[in-house]
């Protein structure tokens, strides 16, 4: 029930936020973004891809879960790439940062920007996690071919 409420709330926020591109197809129940910031970052990735003519990413349940799990890992202090099965962007910062600030950091890094705009990707997922004890936020973007 909580996931349904979050999904409806996210849909409302995205629909009323004035995005230039239509939102992507919503994920199946129970596999959507782990946090409102994840949903916002995912939409910003698709907006950026649309601006360069790359296809919109579909939400990938497995990649989304992997991104969430790796974001938790990062927030616990292990800042490194996962070595997992996906193309990956990771970032760590302080809790309380906005989706726009996360996306800006990726877009101003040439390697991260190239990765998220790679037209070969067809799906992906985003995860964020905040470690309240250390105020460390971990973020992972996972991209699938």
């Amino acid at each position: 029930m909580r996931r349904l409420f979050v999904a409806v709330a996210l849909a409302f926020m995205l629909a009323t936020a004035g995005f230039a591109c239509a939102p992507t197809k919503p994920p199946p129940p129970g596999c959507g973004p782990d946090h409102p910031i994840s949903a916002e970052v995912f939409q910003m990735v698709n907006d950026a891809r649309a601006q360069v003519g790359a296809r919109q990413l579909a939400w990938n349940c497995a990649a989304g879960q992997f991104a969430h799990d790796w974001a938790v890992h990062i927030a616990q202090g292990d800042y490194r790439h996962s070595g997992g099965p996906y193309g990956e962007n990771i970032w760590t910062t302080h809790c309380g940062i906005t989706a726009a600030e996360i996306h800006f950091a990726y877009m101003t890094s040439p390697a991260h920007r190239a990765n998220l705009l790679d037209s070969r990707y067809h799906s992906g997922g985003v995860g964020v996690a905040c470690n309240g004890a250390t105020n460390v936020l971990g973020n992972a973007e996972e991209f699938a071919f």
Side-chain angles (χ1 to χ4, degrees), residues 13-74:
M13 288 179 355
L14 292 173
T16 60
F19 289 107
C21 301
T24 58
K25 184 167 59 170
C31 88
D34 61 347
H35 191 280
I37 289 176
S38 297
E40 290 179 62
V41 170
F42 191 72
Q43 183 63 50
M44 289 176 185
V45 167
N46 273 327
D47 290 346
R49 292 172 64 84
Q51 291 176 2
V52 298
R55 77 175 116 190
Q56 299 285 285
L57 298 177
W59 182 266
N60 179 313
C61 295
Q65 184 62 55
F66 192 91
H68 167 77
D69 293 345
W70 199 250
V72 169
H73 193 79
I74 292 167

Side-chain angles (χ1 to χ4, degrees), residues 42-138:
F42 191 72
Q43 183 63 50
M44 289 176 185
V45 167
N46 273 327
D47 290 346
R49 292 172 64 84
Q51 291 176 2
V52 298
R55 77 175 116 190
Q56 299 285 285
L57 298 177
W59 182 266
N60 179 313
C61 295
Q65 184 62 55
F66 192 91
H68 167 77
D69 293 345
W70 199 250
V72 169
H73 193 79
I74 292 167
Q76 292 171 344
D78 188 7
Y79 183 67
R80 62 184 170 87
H81 283 279
S82 67
Y86 304 106
E88 183 175 67
N89 285 340
I90 61 170
W91 193 49
T92 187
T93 186
H94 60 86
C95 299
I97 198 156
T98 67
E101 291 168 312
I102 291 170
H103 185 67
F104 179 79
Y106 286 134
M107 292 300 286
T108 56
S109 163
H112 291 102
R113 178 185 172 91
N115 201 28
L116 72 86
L117 296 178
D118 189 327
S119 62
R120 296 174 296 166
Y121 295 130
H122 62 78
S123 64
V126 175
V128 297
C130 180
N131 182 334
T134 60
N135 197 40
V136 171
L137 180 134

